[in-house]
Amino acid sequence: MSDRPLPADQQFFADLFSGLVRNPQQLGRVEFARSDRALPGQPGAEWPRLQVVLRGEFHPDPGGIKAIAQGEMLYIPARVASAPVYNKPVMLLSILFAPGWLGLLLHDIRPGQPARPARKVQLPHPERGERDAMLMALHHLSASPQDQAIIQPLALSLLNWCHKVITAAHQPAPSRGDYLYQSICNWVQNHYAETLSRNSVASFFNITPNHLSRLFSRQGTMSFVDYVRWVRMGKAKSLLQKYQLSVGEVGKRCGYADSDYFCRLFRRQFGLTPGEYRSRFQA
């Protein structure tokens, strides 16, 4: 690991997150933005966000939940709007979880003034799956926001993960294998609804199917086939939670034309049929 110092803004966030994760007693509740308000045109709205109030308070939604006060956090799912109201000065840390990179913004907001970030960095990170697993768990827990004994430690784990990404000293440029693996993972996340096979994806990236399998064996935590299924099942759960689509339509939107096959895979993965999962989640 290099001993070179971090860039100034990155070091600032490293110190900020260090204070947060070392003093968890200063962190409070995690609230959840309303999931029925989508605003695709809002910058960054396509990805999940976590906001931490460092000082002051703000209202995340004029007609929604109560004010978020110092030490409290707001989780905003992907593709959900945020229309905050700032009646008092507030210092706000915003964390953006995008595929392959982490966005950090510090806002020092004064009522009546534009909310421009005082500091801002974007940091690449390897796609190992742990961050997405935590975000998925947090998203599921939005259905039971009273379970703070589970939610707060999960949010703290996310902050620890961010701290780890930030404090990683200057690393050598990623190897071709690392870069190719990240590119394939990102591509699958954007094309999961299409017909995907080891051969077709390998051909798209101009490598052999065996090379593709070796990449996932060496760089990742699961095989290519398991990764595609993991992405699709995650998307299926999200569709079942948010929309009243038929099970067959959910399967088609996740790349499974055969609804019976989709149901078998879903039950094997989660121990419930898609219909049972929807009923349990919406109960």
Side-chain angles (χ1 to χ4, degrees), residues 48-85:
R49 290 145 287 163
L50 182 67
Q51 297 183 333
V52 185
V53 178
L54 303 176
R55 186 176 64 234
E57 65 177 42
F58 78 103
H59 287 269
D61 191 316
I65 59 179
K66 66 179 182 65
I68 308 295
Q70 181 173 329
E72 296 180 335
M73 292 170 272
L74 175 70
Y75 177 73
I76 309 171
R79 294 175 294 278
V80 169
S82 176
V85 175

Side-chain angles (χ1 to χ4, degrees), residues 167-216:
T167 54
H170 300 300
Q171 301 290 338
S175 67
R176 182 179 182 277
D178 284 334
Y179 181 80
L180 185 57
Y181 171 75
Q182 301 297 336
S183 299
I184 294 171
C185 287
N186 291 339
W187 190 86
V188 168
Q189 290 177 28
N190 291 323
H191 296 83
Y192 62 90
E194 302 174 12
T195 300
L196 301 180
S197 69
R198 193 174 70 122
N199 289 345
S200 66
V201 174
S203 176
F204 182 84
F205 284 92
N206 198 29
I207 59 176
T208 67
N210 287 339
H211 188 181
L212 177 66
S213 294
R214 285 195 300 272
L215 275 175
F216 276 78

Side-chain angles (χ1 to χ4, degrees), residues 114-128:
R116 298 190 181 94
R119 290 182 182 265
K120 175 181 178 180
V121 296
Q122 293 182 359
L123 302 171
H125 67 80
E127 293 277 3
R128 300 301 185 194

Side-chain angles (χ1 to χ4, degrees), residues 151-173:
I151 294 169
Q152 291 181 34
L154 185 58
L156 181 61
S157 295
L158 265 176
L159 296 178
N160 271 289
W161 178 87
C162 293
H163 183 243
K164 179 181 176 181
V165 171
I166 298 165
T167 54
H170 300 300
Q171 301 290 338

Side-chain angles (χ1 to χ4, degrees), residues 70-262:
Q70 181 173 329
E72 296 180 335
M73 292 170 272
L74 175 70
Y75 177 73
I76 309 171
R79 294 175 294 278
V80 169
S82 176
V85 175
Y86 303 108
N87 296 320
K88 300 178 181 180
V90 61
M91 183 171 288
L92 188 66
L93 169 64
S94 294
I95 309 167
L96 182 65
F97 300 99
W101 59 274
L102 176 70
L104 304 172
L105 302 93
L106 180 74
H107 294 277
D108 190 359
I109 301 168
R110 308 287 171 174
Q113 298 181 9
R116 298 190 181 94
R119 290 182 182 265
K120 175 181 178 180
V121 296
Q122 293 182 359
L123 302 171
H125 67 80
E127 293 277 3
R128 300 301 185 194
E130 67 271 27
R131 182 207 66 170
D132 289 341
M134 288 186 283
L135 289 172
M136 187 176 294
L138 200 57
H139 180 76
H140 291 169
L141 285 164
S142 66
S144 51
Q146 70 278 7
D147 291 339
Q148 291 293 315
I150 302 172
I151 294 169
Q152 291 181 34
L154 185 58
L156 181 61
S157 295
L158 265 176
L159 296 178
N160 271 289
W161 178 87
C162 293
H163 183 243
K164 179 181 176 181
V165 171
I166 298 165
T167 54
H170 300 300
Q171 301 290 338
S175 67
R176 182 179 182 277
D178 284 334
Y179 181 80
L180 185 57
Y181 171 75
Q182 301 297 336
S183 299
I184 294 171
C185 287
N186 291 339
W187 190 86
V188 168
Q189 290 177 28
N190 291 323
H191 296 83
Y192 62 90
E194 302 174 12
T195 300
L196 301 180
S197 69
R198 193 174 70 122
N199 289 345
S200 66
V201 174
S203 176
F204 182 84
F205 284 92
N206 198 29
I207 59 176
T208 67
N210 287 339
H211 188 181
L212 177 66
S213 294
R214 285 195 300 272
L215 275 175
F216 276 78
S217 175
R218 295 173 180 174
Q219 312 292 337
T221 58
M222 61 186 79
S223 70
F224 169 74
V225 172
D226 288 341
Y227 181 77
V228 172
R229 183 168 57 245
W230 179 76
V231 171
R232 285 174 167 174
M233 289 295 110
K235 300 296 183 181
K237 289 171 73 174
S238 180
L239 289 175
L240 290 166
Q241 294 166 18
K242 293 182 179 180
Y243 305 105
Q244 294 299 320
L245 299 171
S246 69
V247 170
E249 182 62 25
V250 171
K252 287 179 182 179
R253 294 193 182 195
C254 295
Y256 298 108
D258 185 334
S259 61
D260 289 338
Y261 179 62
F262 166 64

